[in-house]
Amino acid sequence: MSKRNLALIGATIVSIIYGVTFTIAKDVMPLYIDAYGFILLRVGGSMILFWIFWLFMPKEKIASNDFPRIIAAAFFGVAFNMLTFFKGLSLTSPISAAVIMVSTPMIVLTLSAIIMKERMQKRMVFGIILGLIGTAFLILYGKSIGSATNAGLGNFLVLVNAISYGFYLIIVKKLMDKYNAFTFVKWIYLFGFIMVLPFGWSQFQTVDWALVPMDICWKIGFVVVISTFLTYLLNLLSMKELKPTTVAVFIYLQPLFATIFAISLGKDELSLVKIGSAVLIFIGVYLVTQKKSVQ
């Protein structure tokens, strides 16, 4: 199997994990821990894991002039990204949040065209349009799960998160071309942890862990280890072989997997609209990820 196909598989796995995470994270907050406190726990736990794994990886020295880019990646890819996403998710429904995230490919396409002077092929634009149509049908005619206490603000914050993630994908690509992922990702999470600490510390301190059920603890562990540590690694490894625009388009799969997970829990039901949306989303991903001649 080619490295590109492995990268595509990795990006698909990330979308599955994120699709599940929308519902799992919603079960944790804000009932047991508020959004910013959860983010502090998520970033802090992942930071420790990245530094531990770095001990067993080949060592590289980072050029001093690359640290501003690393700090920018920490802001857009960890701190601002996660704070706005989890706060937004705590106010809206999981499927709504997942669907809004599909704006990221369009954002990345725009940023790539402006910053990287990247030309978009017509089939890629058509694929993105199909994906948008599919996700629009999913949100307009698919039953959302969970409760939304302030859907308007929550959806806006998720959109801000999508813009932030788009910047991150552009910024981190140059680091991926220069270094091994473990060389710089530990620094991204260290700086990201410092950035979220002032926001999450007070909420983290108020958590009464004696009242947190074991199943919620397992869900917190899932978000830290699988949804954060593992997915960041898979995303970075995928970006070794794929363009930022290609990686971003896999966000189209998240509302699909979020809906499938909700159905499996009996919180939603399958319909022709959802099946049709899934077909459009997969066709969109296929068109964007197909390699014409030279990537």
Side-chain angles (χ1 to χ4, degrees):
M1 186 177 293
S2 68
K3 290 183 178 180
R4 177 180 170 81
N5 286 337
L6 286 174
L8 292 172
I9 292 173
T12 303
I13 292 173
V14 168
S15 294
I16 295 172
I17 294 172
Y18 280 154
V20 171
T21 301
F22 285 104
T23 298
I24 290 179
K26 186 75 174 179
D27 289 342
V28 176
M29 59 180 188
L31 182 59
Y32 297 101
I33 182 171
D34 284 328
Y36 293 163
F38 197 2
I39 287 299
L40 181 64
L41 185 62
R42 180 184 185 184
V43 176
S46 298
M47 176 191 68
I48 293 171
L49 289 175
F50 280 120
W51 278 89
I52 291 174
F53 271 74
W54 170 77
L55 296 174
F56 305 97
M57 296 292 117
K59 304 300 183 292
E60 291 179 290
K61 185 177 180 180
I62 298 177
S64 58
N65 60 355
D66 282 327
F67 273 98
R69 180 176 290 273
I70 289 175
I71 293 173
F75 176 77
F76 289 110
V78 177
F80 192 56
N81 173 24
M82 292 189 184
L83 288 172
T84 52
F85 172 68
F86 264 44
K87 185 62 177 179
L89 180 60
S90 70
L91 298 174
T92 188
S93 66
I95 290 181
S96 294
V99 170
I100 291 170
M101 282 297 294
V102 304
S103 62
T104 300
M106 294 299 294
I107 294 167
V108 173
L109 278 171
T110 304
L111 293 175
S112 295
I114 296 172
I115 300 173
M116 303 174 67
K117 311 298 182 184
E118 184 178 306
R119 295 183 62 185
M120 295 296 105
Q121 298 176 13
K122 290 182 179 179
R123 63 173 171 77
M124 295 178 69
V125 175
F126 181 61
I128 286 174
I129 292 173
L130 283 181
L132 284 173
I133 293 172
T135 51
F137 271 106
L138 191 61
I139 191 60
L140 290 174
Y141 300 103
K143 187 179 75 173
S144 295
I145 60 176
S147 59
T149 58
N150 190 342
L153 177 59
N155 291 339
F156 173 74
L157 289 174
V158 174
L159 178 61
V160 171
N161 153 72
I163 296 172
S164 178
Y165 186 67
F167 272 107
Y168 163 76
L169 288 178
I170 300 296
I171 291 169
V172 82
K173 179 60 177 175
K174 287 189 177 180
L175 294 172
M176 286 301 306
D177 293 339
K178 192 172 182 180
Y179 303 106
N180 177 279
F182 278 102
T183 300
F184 64 84
V185 73
K186 67 184 190 297
W187 289 107
I188 288 179
Y189 267 83
L190 176 60
F191 289 125
F193 178 76
I194 294 171
M195 292 174 188
V196 302
L197 189 59
F199 296 92
W201 181 248
S202 60
Q203 292 185 1
F204 178 75
Q205 281 186 308
T206 61
V207 178
D208 188 349
W209 291 102
L211 299 178
V212 179
M214 184 55 65
D215 67 308
I216 296 298
C217 290
W218 280 109
K219 290 177 180 180
I220 291 173
F222 177 89
V223 171
V224 172
V225 179
I226 306 299
S227 302
T228 311
F229 175 72
L230 180 60
T231 56
Y232 251 74
L233 279 184
L234 289 174
N235 259 338
L236 289 171
L237 294 175
S238 295
M239 289 188 68
K240 271 287 190 182
E241 303 297 326
L242 307 173
K243 293 180 180 179
T245 46
T246 304
V247 174
V249 82
F250 276 86
I251 290 174
Y252 280 148
L253 297 176
Q254 291 182 22
L256 173 65
F257 291 127
T259 301
I260 292 173
F261 187 62
I263 291 171
S264 69
L265 294 178
K267 296 182 179 181
D268 209 339
E269 57 185 10
L270 193 61
S271 67
L272 290 177
V273 170
K274 293 184 178 66
I275 295 174
S277 298
V279 172
L280 289 174
I281 290 169
F282 275 113
I283 292 175
V285 171
Y286 174 80
L287 290 173
V288 174
T289 56
Q290 279 304 291
K291 189 177 180 181
K292 188 175 181 181
S293 54
V294 178
Q295 184 180 338

